[in-house]
């Protein structure tokens, strides 16, 4: 669906994008993950054809993307990071204007507008000026505008910035629906949870480069195994605990024991058996996998939100 | 808390140094300009001479004497021309007044000194330049009387001066009002342009232009559409201002309605492209607004929309030729109170369209669609 090859862009002395390459297969949600200033928005700008690169190419469905490459642009829907809507106009008038830019008119335009309003759950408020909308509604309209011409590729640049959790979930539901209908999504974010929740494949960007690119599971494997198990006891242990297997570390704080082990499948049972053998009653057990946050920290040596 | 709030506001104000410098420079620039013009700072008083055309149909010793005296008068720049030329120059707004000494004036004036009937001197005048005409009348009377008396003791003038407004389809008051409306309408257009430019910048900041550019539409088409919509809005302003003037002040269109429409259209196109020009060159609203207001105020002053051009030095009057305001105001004057026909329209329309073309080309080549971030 989308192929980005050796993309380069410089602004004065700043090399914003340094030879970025990746491919996005049809029908998946592909995440472009990185902190602010990583080069995501510049990469996106080139992909949607609003910025000419200094080097490299972008193709969508085999068609070259560029400022005046209208064939390729017709296949791309773009949701900018900003709320790029006219506050003074109604949702419907906004949709009508942007639909006209893609050559829609008459019944085709009416159908496209109705569908966009339906998908974004804004049908009831279609005739109201956008300035009366909540932030979440504006975000949904921002997405709806990009859907008008039924693009095969939807490019979303940080689409949930400044949105409350409820509206964020509504946006996720909308995007999943679109993906179920066969749309390909390119999703940039600096929220790890969003990438984990939405994306099947992720490229991690930092300082204008892709530092890793894989499925979520593949990226997690880049970090040395680090499975933490937290055991909640009914009462605090009265004597030091010794485990029959080698655990990487363990820490006891009051009634909570945090244990780091290599493999949950083989190591967890002996740990629990040891605790039971020492007369301790287990109230709860929980574990977590390596997060993308930890992957990013491992790859770049810094936190994503730094 | 109050101090913290104040300090925060001051920090924000001083953080944009370029905007700060512009907000200081605008009033300083205007003050220097006005002081330079009205205080003749660094200028010779020769620069502020009033132009007077003289038509000498008598060619007698007395009229030659009068001419010599007028030529020697500081503050007057005298040229001798035919009556036809004088009337044409005044009708075109190039000159404020012309003195006509008709055949037999010398003999009649000499007879009037000894009790005969007083002859009449015609003063052809531009009714839109009432202040300048009065200044010319004041400056010419003393040398005129002295010339008639041949250098002897000046007595009561043995002649009468009759004001003859030229090419006017309305009275002097109506002409002045029409001129004021023309000047303020053009100034209003340019202020509208500034607001339009600020709107474009806000849309750029909101990412709307970037989103629009992601659509399969050419840059040329987007800017042309913007120019067209700006032109329509500017035309609406002109219709509103002149409509009010016609209803409330009974301003008359003494010339051609078609000509008035063409000049209004050209002025609207010029204003619309000027707005995009400002948006193309401006970096942010704060900086651009200050600079654009300075440019617009300067253009309206130099273009003659505020006060008569004779009050300005020669070099300023020459400079006004490269200012669109002058051509728009002159065009509206010609079609309203001057009562000119369509033949005067092409020059004004052509000049305004040339300015529009210059603004448009610069805007198209320099327009920034996005505030790019890495």
């Amino acid at each position: 669906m989308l192929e980005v090859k050796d993309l380069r862009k410089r602004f004065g002395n700043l090399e914003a994008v340094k030879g970025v390459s990746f491919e996005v297969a049809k029908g998946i949600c592909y995440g472009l993950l990185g902190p602010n200033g990583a080069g995501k928005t510049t990469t996106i700008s080139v992909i949607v054809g609003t910025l000419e690169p200094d080097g490299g190419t972008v193709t969508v469905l085999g068609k070259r993307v560029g400022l005046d490459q209208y064939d390729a642009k017709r296949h791309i829907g773009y949701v900018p990071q900003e709320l790029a809507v006219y506050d003074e106009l109604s949702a419907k008038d906004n949709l009508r204007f942007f639909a006209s830019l893609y050559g829609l008119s008459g019944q085709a335009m009416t159908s496209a507008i109705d569908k966009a309003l339906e998908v974004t759950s804004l049908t009831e408020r279609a005739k109201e000026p956008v300035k009366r909308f909540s932030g979440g509604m504006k975000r949904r309209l921002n997405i709806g505008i990009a859907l008008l011409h039924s693009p095969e590729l939807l490019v979303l640049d940080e689409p949930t910035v400044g949105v409350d959790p409820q509206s964020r979930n509504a946006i996720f539901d909308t995007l999943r629906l679109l993906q179920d209908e066969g749309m390909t999504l390119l999703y940039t974010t600096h929220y790890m949870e969003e990438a984990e929740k939405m994306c099947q494949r992720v490229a991690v960007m930092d300082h204008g480069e892709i530092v890793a690119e894989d499925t979520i599971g593949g990226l997690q494997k880049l970090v040395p195994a680090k499975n933490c198990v937290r055991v909640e006891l009914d009462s605090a242990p009265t004597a030091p605990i010794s485990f029959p297997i080698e655990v990487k570390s363990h820490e006891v704080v009051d009634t909570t024991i945090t244990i780091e082990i290599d493999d949950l499948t083989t190591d967890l049972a002996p740990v629990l058996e040891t605790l039971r053998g020492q007369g301790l009653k287990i109230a709860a057990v929980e574990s977590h996998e390596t997060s993308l946050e930890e992957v990013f920290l491992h790859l770049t040596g810094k936190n994503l939100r730094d | 808390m109050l101090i913290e709030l104040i300090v925060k506001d001051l920090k924000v104000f001083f953080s944009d140094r370029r905007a700060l410098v512009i907000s200081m420079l605008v009033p300083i620039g205007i003050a220097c300009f006005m002081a330079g013009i009205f205080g003749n700072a660094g200028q010779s008083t020769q620069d502020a001479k009033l132009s007077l055309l003289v038509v000498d149909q008598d060619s007698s010793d007395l009229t030659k004497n009068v001419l010599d005296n007028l030529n020697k008068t500081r503050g007057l720049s005298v040229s001798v021309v035919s009556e036809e030329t004088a009337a044409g120059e005044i009708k075109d707004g190039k000159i404020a007044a012309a003195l006509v000494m008709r055949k037999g004036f010398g003999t009649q004036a000499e007879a009037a000194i000894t009790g005969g009937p007083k002859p009449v001197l015609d003063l052809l005048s531009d009714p839109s330049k009432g202040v300048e005409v009065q200044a010319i009348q004041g400056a010419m009377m003393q040398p005129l009387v002295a010339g008639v008396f041949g250098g002897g003791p000046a007595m009561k003038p043995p002649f009468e001066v009759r004001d003859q407004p030229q090419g006017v389809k309305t009275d002097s008051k109506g002409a002045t009002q029409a001129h004021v409306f023309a000047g303020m309408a053009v100034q209003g257009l340019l202020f509208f342009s500034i607001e339009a430019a600020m709107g474009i910048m806000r849309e750029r900041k909101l990412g709307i232009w970037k989103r629009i550019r992601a659509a399969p539409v050419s840059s040329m088409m987007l800017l042309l559409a913007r120019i067209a919509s700006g032109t329509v809005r500017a035309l609406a302003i002109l219709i509103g201002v002149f409509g009010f003037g016609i209803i409330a002040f009974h301003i008359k269109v003494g010339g051609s309605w078609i000509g008035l429409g063409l000049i209004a259209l050209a002025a609207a196109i010029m204003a619309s492209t000027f707005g995009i020009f400002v948006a193309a060159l401006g970096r942010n609203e704060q900086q651009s607004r200050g600079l654009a207001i300075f440019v617009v105020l300067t253009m309206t002053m130099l273009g003659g929309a505020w006060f008569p051009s004779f009050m300005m030095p020669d070099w300023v009057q020459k400079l006004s030729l490269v200012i669109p305001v002058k051509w728009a105001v002159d065009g509206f004057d010609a079609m309203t109170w001057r009562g000119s026909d369509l033949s005067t329209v092409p020059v004004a329309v052509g000049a305004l369209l040339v300015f529009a073309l210059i603004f448009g080309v610069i805007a198209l080549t320099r327009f920034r669609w996005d505030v790019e971030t890495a």
Side-chain angles (χ1 to χ4, degrees):
Chain A
M1 170 62 68
L2 169 67
E3 190 177 9
V4 179
K5 267 189 191 168
D6 195 28
L7 201 63
R8 292 172 189 281
K9 184 67 189 177
R10 175 183 281 278
F11 298 106
N13 291 328
L14 174 68
E15 199 173 358
V17 179
K18 308 169 186 172
V20 164
S21 300
F22 61 91
E23 287 181 26
V24 179
K26 190 176 183 335
I28 71 161
C29 180
Y30 189 97
L32 207 50
L33 186 71
N36 292 327
K40 304 189 300 290
T41 297
T42 302
T43 303
I44 289 293
S45 298
V46 177
I47 290 172
V48 299
T50 63
L51 186 66
E52 284 292 358
D54 296 331
T57 57
V58 175
T59 53
V60 172
L61 291 169
K63 292 170 183 168
R64 180 87 176 257
V65 178
L67 281 178
D68 300 318
Q69 304 298 319
Y70 306 141
D71 272 359
K73 283 184 172 183
R74 286 192 181 90
H75 297 291
I76 305 170
Y78 171 47
V79 182
Q81 187 173 346
E82 304 87 355
L83 290 168
V85 294
Y86 290 97
D87 266 357
E88 303 79 6
L89 302 182
S90 68
K92 202 163 192 170
D93 284 341
N94 267 287
L95 291 165
R96 189 173 291 131
F97 167 67
F98 285 105
S100 69
L101 294 181
Y102 286 87
L104 296 176
S105 61
Q107 189 53 44
M109 179 191 276
T110 307
S111 303
I113 291 172
D114 289 346
K115 190 177 176 194
L117 288 168
E118 188 189 329
V119 169
T120 54
S121 306
L122 289 171
T123 307
E124 301 294 313
R125 310 283 295 269
K127 291 179 181 170
E128 276 186 41
V130 172
K131 61 186 169 193
R132 290 194 207 151
F133 283 14
S134 67
M137 290 165 70
K138 286 181 183 176
R139 281 276 164 208
R140 298 209 302 272
L141 178 61
N142 211 26
I143 294 172
I145 288 169
L147 303 175
L148 285 162
H149 58 293
S150 305
E152 285 91 341
L153 173 66
L154 184 64
V155 179
L156 303 110
D157 190 4
E158 308 259 7
T160 59
V161 169
V163 171
D164 62 86
Q166 194 181 353
S167 297
R168 186 173 294 191
N169 286 333
I171 289 171
F172 291 155
D173 289 344
T174 303
L175 296 181
R176 284 197 194 95
L177 183 74
L178 294 169
Q179 206 186 339
D180 289 346
E181 288 177 0
M183 195 175 279
T184 308
L185 310 182
L186 175 61
Y187 192 103
T188 80
T189 182
H190 64 273
Y191 295 124
M192 293 291 182
E193 319 83 77
E194 290 190 3
E196 286 172 335
K197 200 180 276 189
M198 293 297 302
C199 304
Q200 287 81 56
R201 205 169 174 86
V202 172
V204 180
M205 277 193 88
D206 191 35
H207 293 304
E209 292 175 301
I210 289 184
V211 292
E213 196 264 7
D214 209 331
T215 59
I216 299 277
L219 289 174
Q220 285 168 331
K221 284 178 187 162
L222 294 174
V223 182
K226 187 184 174 187
N227 294 312
C228 282
V229 178
R230 197 165 64 189
V231 181
E232 197 67 34
L233 303 172
D234 265 5
S235 56
T238 52
I241 301 167
S242 60
F243 293 99
I245 58 161
E246 188 179 332
V247 299
K248 289 188 164 180
S249 67
H250 80 273
E251 184 183 28
V252 180
V253 179
D254 197 20
T255 59
T256 304
I257 307 174
T258 306
I259 309 153
E260 195 179 334
I261 55 179
D262 279 335
D263 192 325
L264 282 174
T265 311
T266 58
D267 297 346
L268 182 57
V271 165
L272 296 178
E273 184 58 34
T274 302
L275 295 174
R276 195 184 65 79
Q278 293 189 12
L280 297 169
K281 195 168 181 185
I282 297 168
V285 178
E286 64 179 46
S287 72
H288 79 269
E289 289 181 308
T290 305
S291 68
L292 277 181
E293 189 87 44
E294 288 161 324
V295 172
F296 190 82
L297 182 64
H298 173 72
L299 292 169
T300 66
K302 63 187 181 189
N303 287 314
L304 190 61
R305 290 179 183 83
D306 282 352
Chain B
M1 174 61 84
L2 179 66
I3 290 172
E4 283 160 1
L5 291 169
I6 293 168
V7 168
K8 184 269 296 172
D9 283 348
L10 292 176
K11 277 183 180 171
V12 170
F13 178 68
F14 286 107
S15 65
D16 189 345
R17 292 197 181 155
R18 197 184 294 240
L20 178 68
V21 169
I22 288 170
S23 63
M24 296 279 188
L25 284 182
V26 167
I28 290 171
I30 292 173
C32 289
F33 183 79
M34 301 290 271
I37 288 171
F38 294 110
N40 284 325
Q43 297 290 323
S44 158
T45 50
Q46 298 295 315
D47 282 346
K49 279 189 171 182
L50 295 162
S51 294
L52 173 67
L53 298 181
V54 176
V55 179
D56 185 4
Q57 294 173 340
D58 193 33
S59 295
S60 61
D61 289 344
L62 185 142
T63 56
K64 281 175 186 160
N65 208 20
V66 167
L67 256 175
D68 281 348
N69 269 15
L70 288 172
N71 273 322
K72 287 175 194 165
T73 305
R74 276 184 80 181
L76 275 182
S77 171
V78 177
S79 307
V80 180
V81 295
S82 69
E83 186 171 4
E84 190 184 354
T85 303
E89 296 269 292
I90 292 169
K91 197 174 176 184
D92 291 345
K94 294 175 183 168
I95 291 289
L99 181 69
V100 182
M101 296 185 284
R102 307 225 176 259
K103 194 156 183 62
F105 172 75
T107 314
Q108 291 164 7
E110 282 168 354
I113 293 171
T114 55
K118 289 182 178 178
V120 172
L121 281 173
D122 282 327
L123 186 69
L124 312 183
S125 65
D126 182 339
S128 74
K129 297 175 177 170
V131 177
E132 190 174 356
V133 172
Q134 280 181 13
I136 290 170
Q137 275 185 301
M140 76 180 190
M141 280 308 284
Q142 195 275 334
L144 202 52
V145 173
V148 169
F149 282 102
M155 294 159 62
K156 200 174 175 186
F159 55 82
E160 286 177 2
V161 176
R162 183 172 59 192
D163 194 9
Q164 299 276 40
Q166 296 298 294
V168 64
K169 296 287 176 89
T170 182
D171 59 14
S172 175
K173 185 181 166 193
T176 303
Q177 287 171 339
H179 177 75
V180 167
F181 265 83
M184 291 304 108
V186 174
Q187 180 175 293
L189 276 194
L190 293 175
F191 275 108
F192 150 75
S193 302
I194 295 175
E195 283 315 305
M198 298 306 115
I200 290 172
M201 286 186 195
R202 272 193 294 277
E203 287 175 14
R204 181 160 65 204
K205 197 174 171 186
L206 285 172
I208 290 178
W209 279 100
K210 188 177 175 185
R211 163 166 249 163
I212 290 173
R213 217 179 181 205
V217 186
S218 71
S219 312
M220 177 74 88
M221 171 70 82
L222 292 173
L223 286 182
L224 284 179
R226 199 72 188 204
I227 290 170
S229 71
T231 301
V232 171
R233 285 177 286 165
L235 268 178
I237 290 170
L238 285 177
I239 290 169
V241 172
F242 277 110
F244 183 84
I246 288 167
I247 292 166
F249 288 87
H250 309 293
I251 288 170
K252 293 191 175 86
V253 179
S256 159
W257 277 96
I258 294 171
L260 182 68
L262 290 172
I263 290 166
L265 181 63
I269 293 171
M270 181 277 295
S272 180
T273 52
F274 179 71
I276 298 181
F277 170 80
V278 171
L281 299 184
R283 286 188 170 274
N284 63 43
E285 274 187 71
Q286 292 92 327
Q287 292 172 13
S288 305
R289 187 187 294 275
L291 199 58
I293 288 173
F294 175 66
V295 170
V296 165
L297 291 179
T298 306
M299 286 204 299
T300 48
M301 277 190 295
L302 295 182
W306 280 13
F307 42 75
S309 55
F310 83 94
M311 296 174 79
M312 293 186 264
D314 264 356
W315 67 269
V316 175
Q317 293 181 42
K318 283 174 186 153
L319 186 66
S320 70
L321 293 173
V322 292
I323 291 173
V325 172
K326 175 203 160 38
W327 298 97
V329 172
D330 282 359
F332 286 131
D333 280 351
M335 291 301 108
T336 51
W337 64 269
R338 284 190 196 284
S340 304
D341 57 23
L342 274 173
S343 64
T344 58
V345 172
V347 174
V349 168
L352 288 168
L353 291 181
V354 166
F355 284 112
L357 188 66
I358 293 167
F359 293 144
V361 168
I362 294 173
L364 192 62
T365 52
R366 297 289 304 273
F367 196 83
R368 291 185 302 118
W369 300 88
D370 184 23
V371 183
E372 284 298 344
T373 52

